[in-house]
Every structure is written in C-alpha cells, then in structure tokens.
Amino acid sequence: MRKISDSTVRRLSVYLRFLEQAKSPTISSGELARLGGTTSAQVRKDLSFFGSFGKRGLGYAVPELTRRIRDILGLERGYRVVLVGAGRMGGALVQYHGFRQRGFHITAIYDQDARKIGSRWNGLVVRDVKHLESDLKKDPSDIAIVATPAESAQQVVDRLVRSGVKAILNFAPVPLNVPPDVEVKTVNMALELETLSYSLANR
Amino acid sequence: MRKISDSTVRRLSVYLRFLEQAKSPTISSGELARLGGTTSAQVRKDLSFFGSFGKRGLGYAVPELTRRIRDILGLERGYRVVLVGAGRMGGALVQYHGFRQRGFHITAIYDQDARKIGSRWNGLVVRDVKHLESDLKKDPSDIAIVATPAESAQQVVDRLVRSGVKAILNFAPVPLNVPPDVEVKTVNMALELETLSYSLANR
DNA sequence: TCCGCATTGTGAACTATTTCACAATTGGCG
DNA sequence: CGCCAATTGTGAAATAGTTCACAATGCGGA
C-alpha cells in the first residue's frame, strides 16, 4: 500500500469524529474542512488516497464515508489494550471514555508498586507487572499504553515487545526503542506546553 | 523572526531534556541525535536556525547549549497556568510533575460542577468557573489548560481569550476557534490510538 | 608549528505535504 | 431535454521539511 502520511491519518480521525455527529445525510468537503480546521482541497486529497467516495455536485454520503473511514483506520475490529503504570495518568486514562467509545478496551492494568497492586480501578484489579508476560501469553494484546516513570519505560516496552505487542502509546517522556514492526506514539505534555511557551516568547 | 517549524521546536524541547541529564561537559550533534531519535544533520540544522552554538571538532558545550535552548523556548521566565475542568484528566494534570519541573505553575483550577467546587487538589481549591474572568483580571495568566467536556470547551476558550490568555493546551476532543494571536495545541488521546490502529490495520 | 581527526554549519538536492485550479460530473429546475 | 450551480477528483505548482555532502574549523599530539 502507498505510504500515507501521519498527518493524513490524523485528519481522517478528525473527520470521522464529525461524521459521527453529522445530522444531514450528505456532507461536502468544504463543510468537513470547516469543522476539522483544514481546507476543502485537503479533505478531498486525504480521501483520494483511499478511493473516491463522493458524488460531484453533492458531496459525501455520511453513512458511507463514516464506514469507509472506520474501515481505513481499522476501527471495526475493536482492540484489547493493556495499561502499564497505575499512576495518576494511568488512572485518568483508565477512566477516559473516549477510548472505549472508539473500540479500545483496557483489559488489564499493571504496576510495580505493592501499594497499588490489588486495588480496583474502574472495575479492574491492578496486577503485579511481573505477570505481564504470562498474562499476555494467555490473552494477547496488540496495543499497550505505557504510563510509567521515564526510568522504567524502556524496560517495560522491551517486555511488551517480546510478548507480541505491536503498537504502543507512550506517556513517559522518553523516546522508545522498538523494532521496526512495532509502532510507537509518544505523547509528551510538558513538550506541548513548551511549544506554547515558544510561541509566547516569539511574537 | 524567521518562521520556525513546529517540528523543530518540538525537537529542541527533546534535546533540552537530554542536555539537562547530560554528564559530560560537551555533547556532539550525533550523540544528541541518538538520544532524541533523529539524525545529526537534523540536530545541527535545528540549532542553526537560531545561531551557531557549537565548536567544530568538539561539539556543543552542554551548559551553554542548555541555556540557549531554554532561552529560545522562553522557559526562563516561568508561567502561571490556569486549569479549567477538574475531571479525571484535570486531576492527573494538576499532579503531573513534569509541568512544575519545567516552570509551568498551575495557579488555579476551575469547574462547573458544584460537587467538585471547594474540593482540594494538590493544595489548590477548585473554584467555580464563574469566577474565571474576575480572577484572571486580578491575576492574569498567559497559558490555560482546557480539560472540560467537548461541549463546553469552545465556550470556556472564548472566555479565556477575552480574559487575555494567549496560549491554550486543549484536551477536549474538538478543534477550537481562537483569534490569530492566540495559540492552541490540542492533545487528543483517542486520536493517537486511532493512528496506532491504522498502522496495525495496514501492514 | 604542523598534521590529522572529529565535528560543525550550511548550501544544494531531495522528499514530502499542501495548495491551486480546473475538467468532469451530478442533480435540480425550467 | 438542456442548462446551471455545486462539488468532486486530481495532476501540477508551490511550499515546507529532511538529508546529503563537504568546506571550514578547532584541538590534541608529535
């Protein structure tokens, strides 16, 4: 498959959010662009990488386009997700409704800290991270969320990779090393604030 | 000032993190690149937009480069940050150590929900969001973090903008409309998972 | 002092992404 | 049925970002 840029994929995800809320049966690239904060040409270009879904003069049929984008993004299947790190961020993530809504089910939480192990989080019992490998052997997951301190992140990731995890959402503020067949997204909130600081400092 | 790309600014922020942990008195672009997950040419190019800080044959003096990057990013001054939305994400953010470490001080938390107003979060009392404007008049902030539900985000942002906030870190899953002199960064975690889903679906 | 090695700084080449602009359709209406 | 208005799909042009490659140092040692 032709290489699609990350920015295109992110925009598809944004379009999808608005398609799901759309009231009218059709929508134009211009309207999607307005909602998603981009341009109509960009919307059409993004979609054109995957096929031609619209009707000239009319726009896109909302239900069809919704289905196509879900399909492109691979959201039809639903994912089991394990979370490592039951700190504050982990806690927020476990409860975050957006994940479940989108078909991402957190099925286990792990931590190292004896004080956290055994406690309940949103119906899940925090397990000792030493069970990570054996649990994943029984119930594999494609996706893991890493919300550990920076120091332990790489080590946890190595274990996840060995256990067959293929995609990692990383909240620890370090770049992670993984083999090329594993995908990592790092979310670093301090870094986001720093880009804001930069824009304040340079105006 | 010459327009600097967002990706360059983000990488500077990554370099800074490693410079602060560096042990040796100098560091080469190659080493910074290795740590930050990029290439040495990229490191040198990024830095070259702002001046020439290195010594040929030797590399960069860690303390000086650290200082220069902090300065470029505008981190020397320290920021007051207000947080709107005392939900789970807000709670995680308030406690997040990375912010304070970097000079971002959360000075107030607001919510709409009577059950949350008055409760203490990490030493701060959650205030009724109706006081937002008057509080900001007394104690202005340049930066706000919005962690409200999607529905109220735009309305909160309008009020923040009217109260002089110039930069917003947005955790609500909607693009926000702001005047051109206000900067917004949106962090959307479901979207990050969706890009992972895409990469799993297309291999 | 002079040589050789390491490493920067930077144009130029390359690659990627966005924007433009317009022909091709579609549906509605007279 | 034929025309008009709306809107897509897409090459081509423009812009932006990354990588290359090499001359220009600066230092340490003979």
Side-chain angles (χ1 to χ4, degrees):
Chain A
M1 165 174 303
R2 162 84 173 291
K3 176 64 170 40
I4 300 300
S5 78
D6 190 60
S7 30
T8 289
V9 176
R10 301 174 81 88
R11 281 191 300 265
L12 288 179
S13 173
V14 171
Y15 305 154
L16 178 58
R17 195 157 274 101
F18 290 107
L19 285 166
E20 285 173 338
Q21 293 167 10
K23 304 224 164 48
S24 45
T26 67
I27 194 165
S28 69
S29 57
E31 178 66 1
L32 262 183
R34 196 182 55 76
L35 294 167
T38 179
T39 66
S40 66
Q42 183 73 80
V43 171
R44 296 197 301 278
K45 184 65 92 181
D46 286 338
L47 296 174
S48 77
F49 294 133
F50 301 96
S52 81
F53 309 136
K55 282 222 192 328
R56 294 172 193 231
L58 251 201
Y60 301 87
V62 170
E64 192 209 335
L65 188 56
T66 305
R67 208 170 342 104
R68 301 303 284 269
I69 295 183
R70 294 187 89 90
D71 193 46
I72 291 164
L73 294 178
L75 296 176
E76 297 303 2
R77 50 169 283 202
Y79 291 90
R80 302 167 47 87
V81 177
V82 301
L83 169 63
V84 186
R88 308 191 194 295
M89 186 52 59
L93 295 171
V94 149
Q95 314 256 15
Y96 183 49
H97 228 255
F99 289 158
R100 174 164 310 192
Q101 247 168 26
R102 295 315 200 118
F104 299 99
H105 293 269
I106 296 181
T107 55
I109 315 174
Y110 297 91
D111 205 292
Q112 225 183 3
D113 182 344
R115 284 165 304 180
K116 287 177 187 147
I117 294 166
S119 61
R120 283 191 160 270
W121 291 69
N122 206 26
L124 285 172
V125 175
V126 176
R127 284 177 65 71
D128 192 320
V129 71
K130 77 181 174 201
H131 300 126
L132 192 58
E133 284 87 347
S134 52
D135 285 6
L136 282 171
K137 197 163 190 177
K138 277 204 296 281
D139 297 309
S141 285
D142 284 332
I143 303 183
I145 300 179
V146 174
T148 66
E151 305 78 68
S152 21
Q154 181 65 56
Q155 179 235 309
V156 163
V157 164
D158 292 344
R159 293 170 61 190
L160 288 167
V161 168
R162 276 201 303 275
S163 304
V165 165
K166 292 296 178 210
I168 293 170
L169 182 57
N170 171 40
F171 287 86
V174 278
L176 298 173
N177 270 115
V178 292
D181 64 324
V182 176
E183 190 76 14
V184 175
K185 274 298 138 181
T186 293
V187 174
N188 182 333
M189 286 162 310
L191 185 149
E192 304 295 337
L193 275 188
E194 286 174 14
T195 68
L196 289 177
S197 168
Y198 174 81
S199 71
L200 289 174
N202 298 276
R203 49 175 65 247
Chain B
M1 164 174 302
R2 163 85 173 292
K3 176 61 169 45
I4 301 298
S5 77
D6 192 60
S7 29
T8 289
V9 176
R10 301 174 81 88
R11 281 189 300 264
L12 288 180
S13 174
V14 172
Y15 305 154
L16 178 57
R17 193 157 275 101
F18 290 107
L19 285 166
E20 285 173 339
Q21 292 167 10
K23 304 223 165 47
S24 45
T26 66
I27 193 165
S28 68
S29 57
E31 180 65 2
L32 262 182
R34 197 183 54 77
L35 294 166
T38 178
T39 67
S40 65
Q42 183 74 79
V43 171
R44 296 197 300 278
K45 184 64 93 179
D46 286 338
L47 295 175
S48 77
F49 295 134
F50 301 95
S52 82
F53 309 135
K55 284 223 191 329
R56 294 174 192 230
L58 249 200
Y60 302 87
V62 170
E64 193 209 334
L65 188 56
T66 306
R67 208 169 344 104
R68 301 302 284 270
I69 296 183
R70 294 188 89 90
D71 193 46
I72 291 164
L73 294 178
L75 296 177
E76 297 304 0
R77 51 171 284 203
Y79 292 91
R80 300 165 50 85
V81 178
V82 302
L83 169 62
V84 186
R88 307 193 194 294
M89 186 52 60
L93 295 171
V94 149
Q95 316 256 14
Y96 182 50
H97 228 254
F99 289 158
R100 173 163 311 191
Q101 247 169 25
R102 294 318 200 117
F104 300 99
H105 293 269
I106 296 182
T107 55
I109 315 173
Y110 298 91
D111 205 292
Q112 228 184 0
D113 183 342
R115 284 165 304 181
K116 287 177 188 147
I117 293 166
S119 61
R120 280 189 163 273
W121 291 69
N122 206 27
L124 285 171
V125 176
V126 176
R127 284 176 65 71
D128 192 322
V129 71
K130 76 180 173 200
H131 299 127
L132 192 57
E133 283 88 347
S134 52
D135 285 5
L136 282 171
K137 198 163 189 179
K138 278 204 295 280
D139 297 310
S141 285
D142 284 332
I143 303 183
I145 301 178
V146 173
T148 67
E151 305 77 68
S152 20
Q154 182 64 57
Q155 179 233 309
V156 163
V157 165
D158 292 343
R159 294 170 61 189
L160 289 166
V161 168
R162 277 201 302 276
S163 304
V165 165
K166 291 297 178 211
I168 293 170
L169 182 58
N170 172 40
F171 287 87
V174 277
L176 298 173
N177 271 115
V178 291
D181 64 324
V182 176
E183 190 77 13
V184 176
K185 270 306 133 181
T186 293
V187 174
N188 182 332
M189 286 163 309
L191 185 150
E192 303 296 337
L193 275 187
E194 286 173 16
T195 68
L196 289 177
S197 168
Y198 173 82
S199 72
L200 290 174
N202 299 275
R203 53 174 65 250

